[in-house]
Amino acid sequence: MKRKLVLLIAMSLLLALLATGSVLAQSPGGLSYTSGVQVVNLDSTTANIGLTYYDQAGNVAATASDTVPGSGSKTYFPIHATAGFNGSLVISSDKPITAIANTVTTNFAYGAATTSFSAGSTSLNLPLIMCNNSGYNTWFNVQSAGTNSANITINYIPGTNGVAQSEGDTIAPGAAHTFDQAIGSSTENCSTLADGTGKFIGSATITSDEPVVATVMQLNTTSIPTLLGYNGFANSGSTTVVAPLVMAQNSGFFSGIQIQNTGSGVTDIDVDFAPNQVSNSFEPANQGCSSVPVGGTCTLITNGGQWTQQYIGSATISSSPAENMVVIVNTIKTTGAKKGASYEAFDPADASTDVSAPLIMANNSGYFTGIQTMNVGGDCPLVTIDFGPNSAGAFNPNDETFSLDAGESLSTCSMRAPVSAASWRRETSSLVTSRRRTPR
């Protein structure tokens, strides 16, 4: 069977090496946000790129051009738009590229990272939308990716709590509009979304007559001060979904798995947890949800119940009868220094033997990167992490290699390179590859 990998890059307060940027916007939660962008060139030759910034009315606010070396990356922090900009960005290139966007508050108390889109869709799924959920409220930006103005409809679907609502808008080409679910916003919010419990916990769908993309932020400024970002799903999902990193009782970190049924019928959902990477005897039993309706959600938290011991591993989510799903995983730390991160789980059919990571760091003003790799194929490949050129110093780390059984995942860390930790200072990209290995 063909070897396939999915790769999760865990990044905290990215670009922290650089000074606070001047591109600010006073927005959700009463916070001032600053943006940074990291672009990686997937080709071996130089890429010529153009960056166009749009305000929320669709006007061009700034433009820039640059080159990115072959297999290299470029960081833009602050970005090119002037102070007070609140909008969106389109990056064009004559070579294949990918990018990540970093959103931080001006004091770096909050930070989230989200990936770029290569194209939009006329239908999007947002698996987790909240207001007043133990301090969490969501807000999201919808960007028009077509050549004409996009007429959109947003349908809010309650899960465990809330009232179904909808709203519409028209977004100019290239522009993005903000939808904030916190009470007091000018868009659909908790004043109408909440049920008798005073909260909304559910999902949303977006339909449009032009391609659009969306990014969701989960903000808590009270009980667990965190900012978690994920991208809306521009497809209908898959009947099997893999999540490379799930944790429980891991130095205070635990995970929440949010599953949205995007199929056409009611389904039961099963979550099968992979072997524990931690050297203890705990192996979690499968969990799931019964009779999840179309558009509805299933929420699983790896805290309480069976989750009394440390677990670091992965999960495979399946539906029966087979219906499409989309999934996000939130991981938070509720004790001590509150922290968190979010990612979109993967359709295993989209996995690849070559995976690129736009930004890898170590000893970068105290920040480092964790890489979680999962084998979703059927044999046992030898995996190689090949680090790109160092843009912050002369040190060039050695490759890392390891093998993975089918369904197995492994955490690797930029502090684990075969050199002293003090010598690890880098801001770069990496490439993960696999090659066939005799099965164990």
Side-chain angles (χ1 to χ4, degrees), residues 32-331:
S32 291
Y33 298 93
T34 302
S35 296
V37 176
Q38 182 95 358
V39 181
V40 62
N41 181 3
L42 304 178
D43 195 83
S44 60
T45 59
T46 299
N48 299 289
I49 67 169
L51 302 94
T52 305
Y53 299 84
Y54 296 90
D55 64 22
Q56 294 215 355
N59 302 308
V60 174
T63 60
S65 59
D66 201 358
T67 59
V68 182
S71 303
S73 60
K74 282 287 184 75
T75 299
Y76 304 101
F77 186 73
I79 54 177
H80 306 88
T82 57
F85 172 74
N86 183 0
S88 52
L89 171 63
V90 175
I91 306 173
S92 59
S93 173
D94 60 356
K95 298 292 190 302
I97 58 170
T98 190
I100 57 172
N102 306 295
T103 303
V104 297
T105 55
T106 51
N107 60 357
F108 292 99
Y110 300 84
T114 53
T115 56
S116 60
F117 298 86
S118 60
S121 173
T122 56
S123 178
L124 299 177
N125 293 290
L126 312 180
L128 182 56
I129 299 296
M130 301 176 286
C131 71
N132 198 28
N133 180 25
S134 300
Y136 277 99
N137 295 282
T138 53
W139 56 275
F140 57 87
N141 270 23
V142 181
Q143 182 181 12
S144 173
T147 56
N148 300 304
S149 292
N151 298 295
I152 70 167
T153 299
I154 304 169
N155 290 307
Y156 298 92
I157 305 166
T160 57
N161 303 87
V163 177
Q165 300 288 351
S166 63
E167 63 181 317
D169 202 359
T170 300
I171 307 174
H177 288 184
T178 302
F179 300 88
D180 186 357
Q181 287 72 63
I183 195 165
S185 79
S186 60
T187 56
E188 196 72 48
N189 61 63
C190 221
S191 63
T192 55
L193 288 171
D195 59 11
T197 65
K199 66 179 88 171
F200 179 95
I201 306 173
S203 58
T205 61
I206 302 172
T207 55
S208 173
D209 59 359
E210 287 285 326
V212 293
V213 296
T215 293
V216 182
M217 293 293 176
Q218 307 164 72
L219 175 65
N220 189 329
T221 60
T222 56
S223 57
I224 311 169
T226 45
L227 181 67
L228 317 175
Y230 76 87
N231 283 342
F233 291 82
N235 55 49
S236 61
S238 57
T239 58
T240 300
V241 179
V242 292
L245 180 59
V246 177
M247 292 188 287
Q249 302 292 339
N250 185 27
S251 301
F253 284 97
F254 63 91
S255 299
I257 304 173
Q258 184 78 0
I259 306 156
Q260 182 183 15
N261 176 7
T262 57
S264 57
V266 176
T267 188
D268 296 334
I269 291 173
D270 179 75
V271 180
D272 180 13
F273 296 97
N276 195 349
Q277 296 179 26
V278 181
S279 57
N280 62 33
S281 59
F282 174 60
E283 296 294 338
N286 288 17
Q287 291 184 240
C289 298
S290 299
S291 302
V292 180
V294 175
T297 55
C298 168
T299 304
L300 299 177
I301 307 294
T302 60
N303 194 32
Q306 69 168 327
W307 303 99
T308 59
Q309 298 184 56
Q310 186 182 21
Y311 173 78
I312 303 174
S314 56
T316 299
I317 300 109
S318 56
S319 59
S320 179
E323 295 287 348
N324 284 345
M325 305 168 290
V326 294
V327 180
I328 65 164
V329 179
N330 290 331
T331 299

